[in-house]
Amino acid sequence: MSQTYTAPCPHFRQCGGCQLQNLPYPQQLRRKQKQAEELLGEFAQVLPILGMEEPSHYRNKVHAAFALDGRRQIVSGIYQPGSHAIVPVDNCYIEDETADAVIRDIRSMLRPFKIQVFDERSGTGWLRHVLIKRGFATGQLMVVLVAVNPIFKLQKPFLRELLARHPEITTVILNKNDRFGPVVLGTWEKVLYGEGYIEDILCGHRFRISSRSFYQINPVQTEKLYRCAVDFAALKGGETVLDAYCGIGTIGITASDSAKQIIGVELNQDAVKDAIANARLNGLRNCWFTAGDAGEYMEKMAADRMRPDVVFLDPPRAGSDERFLRSLIRCSPERVVYVSCNPETLARDLRVLTKGGYAVKAIQPVDMFPFTNHVECVVKLERNS
Ligand code: SAH
């Protein structure tokens, strides 16, 4: 079947963003299902993966790198994997189309407004990246201009023109990043227009999202992911729940209606500020958020003999760490719900938890990233009696 099938995106061969464009969507899902079964099948039966009905243009966060090509023309697009060569992309098959239109217009405005793009070889120029975040449910749109210094000469007329072309833009931020390396955003930023954050709605709650806070990039699938996670938590109303690696508090806040209290812990200070604001935004008085390392926090909970009834954990790709898992086992919550974007580190961590007295009760893969080879899973664990 795949011989007669053509990748829907013309950039597939050069751009490394998608790995599975050459497979029809149902086949992609079968492949991810198989991968989840191979890596996690030893723990429990893997439920059928939850796919998308419309698996295109799902990304609410779009990043474009800017540079000059060999003919000194301004190009914007996606870095080829493992290199700093940019594949010019105007219409990405998985990115939000409005975000792509904003990026194209910004690019066309650079010469008229005398904005130079940064050239890594000579170290001259100014603009490096444009990052767009969009709330699919609210329509709000954030533009982050990433530049090597904060001097934006024609700022006012540039913004006037950009906002006239795209009235859907609700906030514009200037971010300074003068470092080499793969990190897009620097730590200094200034709000040029609007509030400096956008809002979105997920599972009936409203969330504020700042430029540097993590927010799931596929909101349609995120609702399925969170509903599954909350369902696996089987809350009755009286529980104390820990939301570890909580980001802007989305999982905890989604679960807060069915629990006594939610405690969230997260390393990124901006995300914690958003989480605290989000509890207030939703009128919730039973959610608390702290900044810090999840492992350190869990260790402290164990030392203080605090015993959450249920723990959600949703760590980055590297998975959790020994400190966290060891202390989690010491706290011995009744149920643990592990949300993971990397089945390999998930399998490693499940081995620790199953040795430590937990049994895997269910594994649900969710396709958060169609056309790429990433597999997301939610796992329900219960303490052995
Ligand atoms: N649960 C959230 C965020 C998941 S992404 C959501 O669904 O949106 C993983 C989060 O872990 C990121 O916000 C990242 O900043 C945070 N993080 C990374 N290392 C951490 C650590 N050691 N301790 C606590 N949080 C950490």
Side-chain angles (χ1 to χ4, degrees):
M1 183 152 73
S2 57
Q3 276 123 18
T4 55
Y5 180 83
T6 328
C9 172
H11 308 291
F12 168 51
R13 295 284 163 202
Q14 307 93 336
C15 167
C18 296
Q19 301 79 33
L20 307 180
Q21 281 268 343
N22 56 335
L23 294 182
Y25 190 55
Q27 218 165 306
Q28 295 177 28
L29 291 176
R30 280 201 291 280
R31 186 170 159 146
K32 292 187 186 189
Q33 180 73 22
K34 203 166 147 240
Q35 201 182 336
E37 283 167 4
E38 274 165 13
L39 287 161
L40 306 167
E42 64 180 279
F43 298 103
Q45 197 198 343
V46 178
L47 294 164
I49 188 166
L50 303 175
M52 287 190 90
E53 270 163 45
E54 285 292 334
S56 61
H57 303 294
Y58 59 81
R59 275 195 78 101
N60 59 7
K61 178 178 130 182
V62 173
H63 158 234
F66 281 72
L68 294 176
D69 69 7
R71 290 171 295 142
R72 301 202 62 78
Q73 296 299 308
I74 300 173
V75 288
S76 66
I78 296 164
Y79 283 127
Q80 249 170 356
S83 101
H84 254 201
I86 291 172
V87 180
V89 174
D90 274 359
N91 296 290
C92 168
Y93 189 72
I94 63 172
E95 291 172 356
D96 176 53
E97 290 175 290
T98 308
D100 280 352
V102 172
I103 289 168
R104 287 195 302 272
D105 274 340
I106 290 177
R107 196 183 60 216
S108 74
M109 286 166 59
L110 296 180
R111 288 237 197 264
F113 283 91
K114 301 189 170 37
I115 295 172
Q116 292 189 348
V117 298
F118 183 67
D119 180 29
E120 280 183 354
R121 276 157 300 188
S122 61
T124 58
W126 186 71
L127 183 71
R128 298 181 74 180
H129 310 273
V130 172
L131 176 76
I132 310 272
K133 288 191 178 187
R134 185 157 176 251
F136 279 10
T138 59
Q140 296 184 15
L141 194 145
M142 169 193 292
V143 175
V144 187
L145 303 169
V146 185
V148 279
N149 66 52
I151 306 155
F152 190 175
K153 285 197 194 111
L154 293 173
Q155 177 186 317
K156 275 204 181 128
F158 181 87
L159 287 185
R160 207 180 305 125
E161 165 98 20
L162 182 62
L163 292 165
R165 288 193 193 195
H166 290 283
E168 68 275 21
I169 295 174
T170 50
T171 192
V172 181
I173 294 166
L174 177 63
N175 179 289
K176 185 185 101 176
N177 188 358
D178 52 12
R179 292 178 179 223
F180 282 100
V183 179
V184 173
L185 297 180
T187 49
W188 182 94
E189 59 182 38
K190 184 178 167 195
V191 178
L192 304 182
Y193 173 76
E195 301 287 350
Y197 55 82
I198 54 161
E199 288 179 1
D200 199 13
I201 300 163
L202 276 183
C203 300
H205 291 103
R206 219 174 160 87
F207 295 103
R208 149 184 150 172
I209 307 144
S210 301
S211 66
R212 285 180 300 147
S213 301
F214 178 90
Y215 184 61
Q216 297 284 353
I217 56 99
N218 182 340
V220 172
Q221 293 299 89
T222 302
E223 291 205 325
K224 296 181 193 168
L225 183 80
Y226 288 176
R227 291 226 157 87
C228 172
V230 174
D231 179 44
F232 281 180
L235 299 166
K236 294 189 190 71
E239 297 89 347
T240 293
V241 175
L242 178 71
D243 180 4
Y245 310 87
C246 70
I248 62 168
T250 42
I251 296 179
I253 288 174
T254 304
S256 65
D257 301 338
S258 2
K260 183 172 145 216
Q261 58 173 344
I262 308 286
I263 305 163
V265 59
E266 158 66 44
L267 199 57
N268 176 334
Q269 305 247 6
D270 288 355
V272 175
K273 273 190 207 145
D274 285 345
I276 294 167
N278 287 335
R280 207 173 310 130
L281 190 62
N282 291 282
L284 302 171
R285 292 169 172 272
N286 64 340
C287 300
W288 315 93
F289 296 97
T290 11
D293 169 65
E296 197 177 315
Y297 191 78
M298 195 83 236
E299 203 166 57
K300 198 163 168 294
M301 273 189 130
D304 295 349
R305 299 187 184 286
M306 280 167 72
R307 291 194 43 183
D309 303 292
V310 173
V311 172
F312 289 104
L313 72 151
D314 183 8
R317 288 188 60 74
S320 190
D321 56 21
E322 211 188 305
R323 194 178 192 185
F324 183 90
L325 296 172
R326 214 184 326 112
S327 317
L328 174 69
I329 291 165
R330 270 178 71 200
C331 286
S332 76
E334 219 169 291
R335 264 182 302 285
V336 175
V337 179
Y338 195 142
V339 179
S340 157
C341 56
N342 182 348
E344 282 166 18
T345 55
L346 172 62
R348 180 198 69 200
D349 292 350
L350 289 181
R351 237 159 258 140
V352 177
L353 292 173
T354 48
K355 276 203 193 103
Y358 282 85
V360 175
K361 294 292 174 183
I363 303 171
Q364 176 66 70
V366 181
D367 191 20
M368 297 292 284
F369 315 101
F371 297 93
T372 77
N373 56 13
H374 296 287
V375 184
E376 184 99 8
C377 289
V378 191
V379 177
K380 173 181 183 174
L381 295 114
E382 269 174 18
R383 192 181 62 211
N384 295 327
S385 49

